[in-house]
Each structure stands twice: as C-alpha cells, then as structure tokens.
Amino acid sequence: MQASDLMVQCLVEEGIEYIFGVPGEENADFMMSLEKTDAIRFILTRHEQGAAFMAEIYGRLTGNPAGCLGTLGPGATNLITGVADSNMDRAPMLVLTGQGASTRLHKESHQVMDVVHMFKPVTKWATTVWHPENIPEIMRKAVRVARTEKPGAVHVELPEDIAKLPTDKKPLPVRKFRRPVPDDKAINRIFERIKAAKRPIIIAGNGCIRRRASKQLRLFCEATGIGVLSTFMAKGCVDMDAPYCLYTIGLGTKDIPACAVDAADLVICLGYDMVEYHPKLWNNGRTKPVIHIDFLPAEIDENYHPELEAVGDLAHALWMLNERVKATPGELQFDLSQQQAVRRDMTEELAKHKNDTTEGVIRPQKVLWDVREVMGAHDILLSDVGAHKMWIARHYQCHEPNTCLIPNGFCSMGFALPGAIAAALVHPDRNILAICGDAGFMMNVQEMETARRLNLNITVMVWADNAYGLIAWKQDNEFGRHTDLDFGNPDWLKLAESFDWRGHVVENAQDVQTTLAQCFSEPGPSLLVIPIDYRENNLLTKRLGELTCSI
C-alpha cells in the first residue's frame, strides 16, 4: 500500500467517523484512499471554513475528533478561522491538509506557503509527514493530543509525493488511559476552606459540560446548596430548574447574577477558562478569594491568583469533594440568601416579555422564551456571534450539557449554520436550531446547499436587523453613536426557495411558537426569519447600569 492508505487506516483504527472538507489536487491520493473504506464518511462542504466548524461541533458533542480537510495554500488558509475557534473553545479536531511535493518546498513555488507554521498558533500541535514510516506514530499522537484535556485542534500536513510512497507499516493500536487526578491533600485543604466560608459561590466554565463532571457537580450542589453561575459555554452543567442554578454570567456589563459574586466570600472556579470571561470583570483588584479546580493549572493573571488549586480530572476532583461532604454531614452551613434573591430576580427577568403581542419587530426576550418552550430538554440550539449571542447567553437556559453551543473563546461569526449540520449528523433524532444574525448567517450561507444535499432536519432562525447589531450596541455604549453599520439583505423567502429550503418570515410575536414547531415538523431544512427589535439592546444597557442588588 501507499502512505495515504496507511494514514486512512490509522484514522479508521482511531475510530474517526467523519471528515468534512473540500478536496484539492495535492490531497487527491488521500481522497482515493479514503474512498476504499466505509468506516469514515466524507462530507463535501462548500467552503473549508464550514468544514472546520462542522468538525468543531462534532468534537464538542462527542468528545472525539472529526477531521476537516483542505488542500494547500488557500484551502488551508480558509480552514484557519474554524480551527482557531475549535482550539480556543476546547473542541478536539484533526486538521488534514495537502501540500506540494517535498522536492519544491524549499523554494518559491505555486501555492506553496508554510502551512504548519501558520497553524501552530491556533493548534495544540502541527506537523508534516516527511516519511511514510512515521505515519502510525504521528496519527496516534495527533488523536491523543487532540483528545487530551484540555482538548483542541491538531494539524497534520501530507505532501503529495510522500502520499504516494510505498509502506508496509501498520497502525498503532489505540490505548486510552485514565487522566491524572488531584492530590488528596489539595482536596482536603479546599474542602476545609469551603467549610470555613459563609457565602461561597461556584463559577462553572467549559470544563463542567463534560458529562461526568456535570453529574458530580450536580451531586455536590444538591448536597451543599451552593449556587452555580455558568459561563456562556457551561450552560446546562446544572439543570435550569434546580434551585442552585443562578443562570449565566459573562456579559461585559454587570448583570443580576453578578450580585451573587459581589456577596460571596469565596469563589470556587470549576473548569473555568479565562478566555470566556475575564476575571477583571468579577474580581478586579483580587477582592475575592478564589479556588481553582481544573484539568490544568490556573493561567497567571493579576486578577486571578487562586488561594488554593487542585489540578487533575475535574469530575474526579468533584467526586473527591462529594465523598468528603458525605463523610461530614451537617458541617456545611451557608448563608444563601443573596443567591436565592439572584435566582428569584433573574427568573422574573427571563419571563418579563413572555406574553408580548408586538407586530413588525419582535423583542429578543419574547423569541427566546418561545424557543425554550418549543425545544425539548435534549434538543440543541447553536448560537452564531452577534447581538443575538448576548441575548441567548442571558435568556436561553438549559437542562442538559451541550444543548446550547455558543462560540465564546475565539467568537467567530459564521459558526451556527455549519455547526447545525454537524449536530444533525450526530443527533438526527433531536430538534436542531441555529440562531444567527443576518450578518453571521450570510458569512457561510453557501452551506445551505450542503444541508439540502444531506437532507438534514435543521432549522435556522435569522434575526434580521439589516446591520452589524452587536458592533452598533458596543459603539453606542462607548461613544453615544455608531459608525455606518447598515447593509441590505436578500429576499429571504426567495433565498430559501433557491436552495430548496422551506422558508418562513414571522412578524407577529404571537406566531413564533407555532411557526417554530412547524419548522421542526417539516422534513429537510427550514429557514425562519424574524425581524428583531434591537432597541432592546440599549434599553438593557441602561437598566443594568442602574442595577442595585437586592435580597
């Protein structure tokens, strides 16, 4: 066999199920080798960026990497935005690119650039295959590094002449090992510090949506009553209906949930990624003592300097704490009055506009209330990036982990439509809803064809305001005005028809629930467009600027 056959065999051995991408001349041998197996499904996309977002969502939902594929030069550069998003949002991914023949890489040559060095800043590891004999080692390492906490992207480049070389090597067998666990003495010190606190609070980050971690976190909260504030990406780590769920934290402006942090005398950060919500926004000047429990040591920051730290498997760390709670019944006594007030006030806030009957433009709060009413506990919502993301983060709460997927580290627009395609492939039995702004939706609109070709049951909801609404919101806050951010949009119903999608435009608030339910009942993809009332953006900013914490 040849080197490209061996690489495919290694991917099969690793259990890779999907590769998304756009083939090119320099990875033709790999594609021919991929056709020989039924174990891996190749999904042809309309743009490499869409392929990368699809691989990212597959990784976030399964915990295992998928591949995204591009050729050399522009194919590789098109991948990089989705790869960076995956890496910063902790999703395992394999990035597979072709390259020109190794005999011409030392000189100026058609489409040749140093792809490996381009990917190094946005991956955990990037390398080139120079010898067929190294492929088993490289692919075993690539998958292991991608999956290892904290997971991320790994890039492997295969030059076209190396792909053709003969080899008799075999894939290395896959061996998985338990993750390191925290030190007993570290957990003992943390437990004693929690017992000494009067008003502890938990900030749960991305690491808490791993299923085992979520289970142990819920047990810990059931036993102690300590409230949980979720970052955007940690939604669903505890059930929205649980009394200790204090909803979401992460807006740049102080919001109601931040009152619980203000009142706390100890902040327990679990699986917390600083890239999501900078500690300067909640611990400026290190006014709060912090405990850090995560797979990796704390990032060094002047506003995040933990008093205690436990490094290792997060689920196991929480299990260790739960064992100590069970062994000392009745010793944990906390004042949770501020946390209860936060849950009460935020619950009222979420329901404030549930009975709106506006026409023409519809409030974000009303749309998201109705979306939550229609969506089941295990259905999946994907948010693109824009003003709508802030409303989703604040108003759409979850029952289960990984049922609201928000890009919040790298924050790339164009994420939700291709992400919904991958979500539908992983969970064809669930309702899949992507919510996009009209700007972000148009950035990967070409993947409408991919969804139609695959005949996937997805719904894309577009919030239309004919502008870059989030930028306008931020500029208004800082300068009292905004620059020219308006643009035109297509005829949405004609756009849907041209891609053979079903199309709907809802301009009456009372029709949101019934139309969304209709979309979910329709076979194939549906587009649902809602003219959105973004006057609520500045109204929210004004209200939060006048916020006072109450008990």
Side-chain angles (χ1 to χ4, degrees):
M1 64 179 173
Q2 62 185 47
S4 59
D5 296 326
L6 176 58
M7 181 178 279
V8 169
Q9 285 190 12
C10 290
L11 293 171
V12 172
E13 180 75 15
E14 295 288 347
I16 303 303
E17 292 185 306
Y18 286 96
I19 297 175
F20 306 89
V22 180
E25 182 180 347
E26 286 73 19
N27 52 23
D29 282 277
F30 178 84
M31 292 302 300
M32 293 298 110
S33 298
L34 191 61
E35 271 201 334
K36 298 174 185 177
T37 178
D38 294 327
I40 301 173
R41 185 178 178 187
F42 181 76
I43 302 295
L44 183 70
T45 66
R46 300 305 301 270
H47 193 284
E48 291 88 350
Q49 186 184 113
F53 285 134
M54 292 176 203
E56 174 186 351
I57 290 304
Y58 177 93
R60 285 173 68 168
L61 289 174
T62 68
N64 293 310
C68 59
L69 176 137
T71 189
L72 82 174
T77 59
N78 281 348
L79 285 168
I80 198 165
T81 296
V83 173
D85 200 80
S86 180
N87 198 57
M88 201 170 279
D89 283 352
R90 314 294 196 182
M93 170 192 284
L94 293 179
V95 187
L96 307 172
T97 62
Q99 183 54 283
S102 60
T103 53
R104 65 183 178 101
L105 300 185
H106 64 288
K107 59 187 178 183
E108 182 178 313
S109 189
H110 179 65
Q111 287 193 310
V112 165
M113 56 174 287
D114 193 337
V115 174
V116 170
H117 276 82
M118 180 183 75
F119 273 112
K120 279 186 175 178
V122 296
T123 57
K124 295 178 72 177
W125 183 52
T127 194
T128 301
V129 176
W130 294 114
H131 305 284
E133 290 74 16
N134 293 345
I135 288 175
E137 291 180 352
I138 288 172
M139 300 314 295
R140 179 79 279 269
K141 178 177 178 179
V143 175
R144 185 173 183 180
V145 169
R147 293 183 77 251
T148 298
E149 291 287 351
K150 294 191 174 180
V154 170
H155 169 237
V156 179
E157 174 184 82
L158 181 64
E160 59 182 337
D161 60 330
I162 305 299
K164 297 177 182 295
L165 293 177
T167 179
D168 58 2
K169 287 285 186 176
K170 302 292 183 185
L172 287 174
V174 176
R175 291 176 181 162
K176 298 179 182 179
F177 305 98
R178 289 186 64 84
R179 289 188 285 264
V181 300
D183 178 68
D184 263 316
K185 291 181 180 178
I187 295 296
N188 285 339
R189 287 193 290 269
I190 287 172
F191 184 62
E192 291 302 316
R193 182 65 182 85
I194 293 172
K195 283 201 299 183
K198 297 298 183 186
R199 298 176 304 280
I201 190 80
I202 292 170
I203 295 181
N206 190 8
C208 289
I209 57 172
R210 317 294 192 265
R211 191 159 299 280
R212 289 176 56 247
S214 172
K215 177 182 177 182
Q216 292 299 326
L217 174 59
R218 294 177 185 215
L219 292 173
F220 181 72
C221 295
E222 293 284 350
T224 65
I226 299 174
V228 176
L229 294 163
S230 301
T231 63
F232 290 11
M233 296 185 67
K235 282 174 170 293
C237 64
V238 295
D239 193 316
M240 60 180 280
D241 292 337
Y244 47 79
C245 175
L246 307 183
Y247 303 118
T248 312
I249 197 165
L251 295 184
T253 304
K254 182 178 178 180
D255 200 356
I256 294 169
C259 293
V261 180
D262 288 351
D265 62 354
L266 179 66
V267 182
I268 307 165
C269 292
L270 304 175
Y272 167 73
D273 287 336
M274 196 178 297
V275 71
E276 271 208 89
Y277 184 47
H278 199 280
K280 185 177 182 179
L281 295 169
W282 57 269
N283 197 29
N284 193 10
R286 297 200 304 275
T287 58
K288 301 292 179 185
V290 171
I291 290 173
H292 174 88
I293 306 178
D294 204 358
F295 303 97
L296 297 177
E299 177 66 271
I300 301 298
D301 185 271
E302 64 177 339
N303 297 298
Y304 192 73
H305 196 55
E307 180 181 308
L308 294 170
E309 180 177 86
V311 177
D313 182 78
L314 179 59
H316 193 86
L318 286 164
W319 175 84
M320 294 169 78
L321 285 173
N322 283 328
E323 290 298 296
R324 285 155 176 78
V325 172
K326 286 191 286 187
T328 55
E331 292 192 22
L332 297 176
Q333 301 293 329
F334 304 123
D335 175 8
L336 303 176
S337 56
Q338 181 64 67
Q339 297 179 26
Q340 292 163 355
V342 162
R343 179 168 172 84
R344 177 200 68 212
D345 292 350
M346 196 63 206
T347 300
E348 291 176 0
E349 178 84 3
L350 298 178
K352 190 173 182 180
H353 293 288
K354 67 178 183 178
N355 295 320
D356 274 7
T357 58
T358 56
E359 295 186 38
V361 289
I362 305 173
R363 286 186 175 94
Q365 304 96 310
K366 166 63 175 173
V367 175
L368 292 172
W369 178 273
D370 286 356
V371 168
R372 182 67 276 179
E373 289 292 295
V374 176
M375 299 280 277
H378 294 275
D379 293 339
I380 298 172
L381 184 151
L382 300 97
S383 170
D384 213 271
V385 173
H388 64 282
K389 185 183 95 165
M390 300 303 171
W391 288 106
I392 291 168
R394 189 171 192 261
H395 283 260
Y396 187 83
Q397 306 302 324
C398 300
H399 298 283
E400 296 293 332
N402 280 320
T403 56
C404 181
L405 304 178
I406 299 178
N408 203 41
F410 196 64
C411 292
S412 176
M413 297 172 73
F415 160 95
L417 169 57
I421 290 172
L425 291 171
V426 175
H427 293 296
D429 56 328
R430 302 188 191 183
N431 290 323
I432 308 295
L433 174 65
I435 299 183
C436 311
D438 42 10
F441 176 69
M442 294 299 291
M443 287 189 177
N444 272 315
V445 67
Q446 70 282 345
E447 301 305 339
M448 289 180 73
E449 188 279 326
T450 307
R452 177 69 273 175
R453 175 167 25 98
L454 298 174
N455 197 31
L456 297 175
N457 295 324
I458 66 172
T459 296
V460 177
M461 177 187 287
V462 175
W463 290 14
D465 70 324
N466 294 75
Y468 289 101
L470 180 59
I471 304 304
W473 191 358
K474 289 179 179 290
Q475 289 184 358
D476 286 343
N477 288 344
E478 185 169 354
F479 304 107
R481 62 183 181 86
H482 60 262
T483 58
D484 182 11
L485 296 167
D486 294 345
F487 50 72
N489 274 319
D491 181 312
W492 297 110
L493 296 181
K494 288 182 179 178
L495 177 70
E497 182 183 5
S498 68
F499 280 103
D500 195 23
W501 282 41
R502 299 176 192 273
H504 309 267
V505 176
V506 173
E507 297 178 334
N508 188 326
Q510 292 179 303
D511 295 334
V512 173
Q513 281 197 39
T514 54
T515 308
L516 180 58
Q518 180 183 344
C519 290
F520 286 146
S521 69
E522 295 169 346
S526 297
L527 180 67
L528 172 55
V529 179
I530 296 179
I532 204 74
D533 188 357
Y534 273 155
R535 290 175 297 184
E536 289 294 314
N537 295 349
N538 291 331
L539 291 174
L540 177 63
T541 299
K542 184 176 185 297
R543 286 207 319 279
L544 295 184
E546 300 167 352
L547 176 67
T548 56
C549 299
S550 61
I551 294 181

